[in-house]
Amino acid sequence: MKTLSELSTTLREAKDQLALPIIEMSRNTGLTAVTIRGLLAGKKDPRLSTLMTLADQLGLEVMLVPKALAASITAKPAAPAEVQSLVSAALARQGKQP
């Protein structure tokens, strides 16, 4: 991330994925709802401690990495867990496709 816009996009996507209401985030973090909304909109330049608090609430970690490595590190969204039916699981065990 190189801009506040990219940072806010990452935070917003994590919030949306967790379906956390801003009010709940405010209660859990001690940050005001106005502060959280500003950070998620990219309109506030957060203090590091504020960013760390919000990231923790969203299951994210703030990290500093050398620029030479940053380009090779890309966040990959977690694949949703696939639920197999009993029939699909039995066919998979037999090496057959459903």
Side-chain angles (χ1 to χ4, degrees):
M1 276 176 259
K2 294 182 180 183
T3 67
L4 283 177
S5 177
E6 290 173 329
L7 175 63
S8 66
T9 298
T10 299
L11 295 172
R12 240 186 353 268
E13 287 172 354
K15 176 199 171 294
D16 292 344
Q17 187 173 18
L18 295 172
L20 283 172
I22 289 178
I23 297 299
E24 183 179 334
M25 291 172 64
S26 178
R27 266 192 302 253
N28 294 341
T29 63
L31 301 172
T32 66
V34 171
T35 297
I36 294 170
R37 281 188 192 96
L39 294 172
L40 295 176
K43 295 181 180 179
K44 282 195 169 247
D45 189 357
R47 290 186 356 200
L48 181 57
S49 59
T50 302
L51 177 58
M52 291 169 63
T53 299
L54 187 58
D56 182 60
Q57 175 68 34
L58 296 171
L60 301 172
E61 188 69 40
V62 176
M63 295 178 61
L64 296 174
V65 297
K67 283 187 176 187
L69 294 177
S72 65
I73 300 172
T74 58
K76 296 179 182 162
E82 188 175 314
V83 178
Q84 282 189 323
S85 70
L86 293 175
V87 172
S88 296
L91 289 173
R93 283 193 299 273
Q94 294 177 1
K96 299 176 183 175
Q97 294 296 328

